[in-house]
Amino acid sequence: MGKPLVAVFSGAGMSTDSGIPDYRGPQGLWRRDPDAEKLVTYEYYMADPEIRRRSWLMRAEVWAAAPQPNAAHLAVAELERGGTPVRVITQNVDGLHQLAGMPARKVFELHGTARSVVCTGCGARSETSEVLARVAAGEPDPPCSACGGVLKTATVMFGQRLDPEVLGRAMAVAKGSQVFIAVGTSLQVQPAASLAGMAAEAGARLIIVNAEETPYDALADEVVREPIGTALPALLTRIAAEGA
Ligand code: ZN
């Protein structure tokens, strides 16, 4: 018997041990503070230089904290290194799965990444660190060096649709997986949440690791409520042993 394809679907809860708060979820900071939500809403961001200035300062603050992968990220990367086929689908934009050692081609970032910047005019991409260096040097809303257009992180803001290619590949992973583990996500934001149902329908063993109830708990083969930082490494060790 071959090793099962394990899909790990991670949400904000995966990164809270790394010091990154839940911004985007239904109970997230951005949803509870309409003013903060504007910083990551495409329409406001594009229309207002003051929103962009504050948005870059917010990114700079997260960047300065230099968040590191936690035990859960490391356990996922270790499972992959051990020879189990693993794919990560994530709602997080922090890049911590890759920093933990997951190959980038095996990570599907549904909400994009805060580690790159894209020009809304010409599409040119650059490193977030370069743009934040310009902000620190006195350009509060740095324009694209190539075309003068508005720069934004390569994240999917509110009011923007998910990249259909990334979503399509994530759906293929969900349907092709034998084990689908949803970690630290409330499974309430569509279309991402529907991936769990898709996987279960296609016959995957569905495991949910989350502090709170999710709409997919009844469908799950296993629901784990313990803290992610200890529960996920233990679970993945068990799965690696089963598939050996
Ligand atoms: Zn440009």
Side-chain angles (χ1 to χ4, degrees):
M1 205 177 108
K3 295 200 175 204
L5 174 64
V6 178
V8 175
F9 176 45
S10 64
M14 184 91 187
S15 292
T16 43
D17 281 355
S18 296
I20 299 175
D22 178 8
Y23 290 107
R24 187 179 177 120
Q27 306 301 323
L29 294 180
W30 287 337
R31 288 296 192 189
R32 285 186 279 122
D33 179 355
D35 210 42
E37 189 174 340
K38 285 184 184 173
L39 304 184
V40 288
T41 300
Y42 189 74
E43 187 192 347
Y44 291 108
Y45 185 89
M46 292 305 289
D48 188 350
E50 174 60 16
I51 293 282
R52 295 198 289 275
R53 186 187 71 81
R54 287 174 51 208
S55 187
W56 286 120
L57 289 178
M58 181 261 302
R59 298 289 177 197
E61 201 175 304
V62 177
W63 199 267
Q68 296 300 311
N70 63 54
H73 295 107
L74 295 170
V76 173
E78 196 182 313
L79 181 68
E80 194 271 339
R81 254 195 317 274
T84 300
V86 178
R87 300 291 181 276
V88 170
I89 303 166
T90 186
Q91 295 175 299
N92 302 335
V93 299
D94 52 39
L96 292 181
H97 282 290
Q98 296 93 317
L99 214 56
M102 271 303 292
R105 67 179 190 285
K106 297 183 179 178
V107 180
F108 303 97
E109 298 174 302
L110 293 174
H111 294 156
T113 177
R115 292 184 180 268
S116 302
V117 166
V118 65
C119 172
T120 57
C122 71
R125 280 178 91 103
S126 46
E127 292 291 317
T128 299
S129 55
E130 291 168 19
V131 176
L132 290 179
R134 290 174 62 190
V135 173
E139 287 183 88
D141 172 28
C144 173
S145 328
C147 79
V150 170
L151 295 182
K152 67 180 277 294
T153 50
T155 51
V156 178
M157 289 187 168
F158 294 122
Q160 288 190 288
R161 61 175 196 159
L162 303 190
D163 180 332
E165 195 191 318
V166 176
L167 182 61
R169 296 183 72 183
M171 284 160 76
V173 166
K175 288 175 184 164
S177 63
Q178 277 81 53
V179 182
F180 187 97
I181 310 172
V183 190
T185 166
S186 58
L187 294 174
Q188 285 178 34
V189 180
Q190 297 296 353
S194 64
L195 293 167
M198 250 175 237
E201 217 166 281
R205 185 170 140 207
L206 176 62
I207 305 173
I208 295 174
V209 186
N210 197 51
E212 269 100 52
E213 280 184 27
T214 84
Y216 291 88
D217 286 1
L219 204 60
D221 296 283
E222 196 176 335
V223 177
V224 181
R225 296 258 181 261
E226 278 87 65
I228 292 166
T230 47
L232 192 68
L235 174 69
L236 297 184
T237 301
R238 178 152 58 86
I239 284 171
E242 283 171 9

